Amino acid sequence: MALEGVDGSGKSTQARLLAVSLLQQGREVVLTQEPGSGPVGQRLRRYLQGADRHLSPQEELDLFLADRREHVEQVIKPALAAGQIVITDRYYYSSVAYQGALGLDPTWILAENEAFAPQPDLVFILVLPVSQALARLQRPHQLSELPLYLEQVAAIYHNLQGPHIQRLDATASPQTLHATLLARTLEALGEFGGVG
Ligand code: ADP
Ligand code: MG
């Protein structure tokens, strides 16, 4: 399963809480995130924390795709093959929303990703007004965190649809949000026997 939403919407908080609850139930869980920890992921993180956004949208997308290919091959596929529950803090919907907001076609970005990346059984999009999300971040904002840009990102997230995509009101407290997320995940586990 994947957690998505704008910066500050609570993805990392919820990913940790969900992993802990599932582990406490004795389930096997792999908690992972994008950008990944490999060389490309590290380069991406440095770029996003840097002073200017000098890469073209296509170059950015290419880097995220390279990072994701590595993530899929080295982390996601082996975990799924071992029957573990994968919780990923961001996945390819982030490319659809963030590079889509730079002018690339969201539908095309989605197709490029779904050609190689396993579709999650569940995607939670945490929905929070951009102003509230940015107010939560207790650090200097990154290049990708300009309010107008994030409004575009949020609009693309808003348009994503599919039976596996669920939206949650992220204005709720972490514990309230967690209770909903856990209940829906357990429901899906009952349905699929495993949640990718
Ligand atoms: P993201 O990973 O989506 O950027 P985080 O989980 O890092 O978001 O949360 C951003 C900030 O907001 C953190 O300081 C976190 O403690 C706080 N936070 C997370 N969830 C909530 C919530 N439901 N209500 C209020 N503050 C929250
Ligand atoms: Mg985070």
Side-chain angles (χ1 to χ4, degrees):
M1 55 92 60
L3 279 152
E4 292 282 359
V6 296
D7 301 77
S9 57
K11 299 176 297 297
S12 301
T13 303
Q14 293 303 320
R16 279 191 296 273
L17 291 171
L18 184 62
V20 168
S21 288
L22 294 173
L23 283 168
Q24 282 171 348
Q25 295 193 353
R27 299 174 191 268
E28 284 193 64
V29 177
V30 173
L31 175 58
T32 183
Q33 61 175 9
E34 292 191 357
S37 50
V40 182
Q42 285 176 25
R43 185 176 158 200
L44 266 169
R45 284 175 190 281
R46 276 198 306 276
Y47 169 70
L48 293 170
Q49 286 160 9
D52 69 325
R53 205 160 182 174
H54 56 85
L55 297 175
S56 71
Q58 185 62 49
E59 285 168 335
E60 276 189 24
L61 178 63
D62 289 343
L63 279 177
F64 279 103
L65 286 170
D67 178 53
R68 187 163 301 119
R69 284 181 200 282
E70 198 175 87
H71 187 216
V72 164
E73 290 309 317
Q74 293 178 8
V75 179
I76 295 180
K77 281 189 175 170
L80 292 178
Q84 295 163 330
I85 300 172
V86 175
I87 301 173
T88 183
D89 180 352
R90 292 197 181 280
Y91 196 30
Y92 57 79
Y93 305 93
S94 288
S95 286
V96 173
Y98 283 74
Q99 276 67 52
L102 294 176
L104 300 179
D105 177 14
T107 307
W108 177 78
I109 302 173
L110 187 66
E112 286 283 296
N113 278 278
E114 289 187 333
F116 72 92
Q119 192 186 84
D121 292 325
L122 260 182
V123 181
F124 292 113
I125 300 180
L126 301 185
V127 181
L128 188 68
V130 166
S131 56
Q132 284 184 48
L134 287 177
R136 284 182 184 178
L137 295 177
Q138 305 285 316
R139 54 172 169 76
H141 292 177
Q142 295 186 165
L143 290 176
S144 55
E145 294 169 353
L146 296 172
L148 283 176
Y149 174 62
L150 285 183
E151 295 288 356
Q152 293 292 317
V153 171
I156 296 173
Y157 273 133
H158 181 78
N159 286 330
L160 290 174
Q161 285 180 29
H164 57 303
I165 297 178
Q166 301 194 22
R167 288 187 169 74
L168 295 174
D169 173 10
T171 59
S173 74
Q175 283 309 326
T176 303
L177 206 49
H178 170 59
T180 308
L181 236 124
L182 179 61
R184 295 203 186 174
T185 302
L186 292 175
E187 210 173 285
L189 276 166
E191 241 169 80
F192 299 110
V195 171

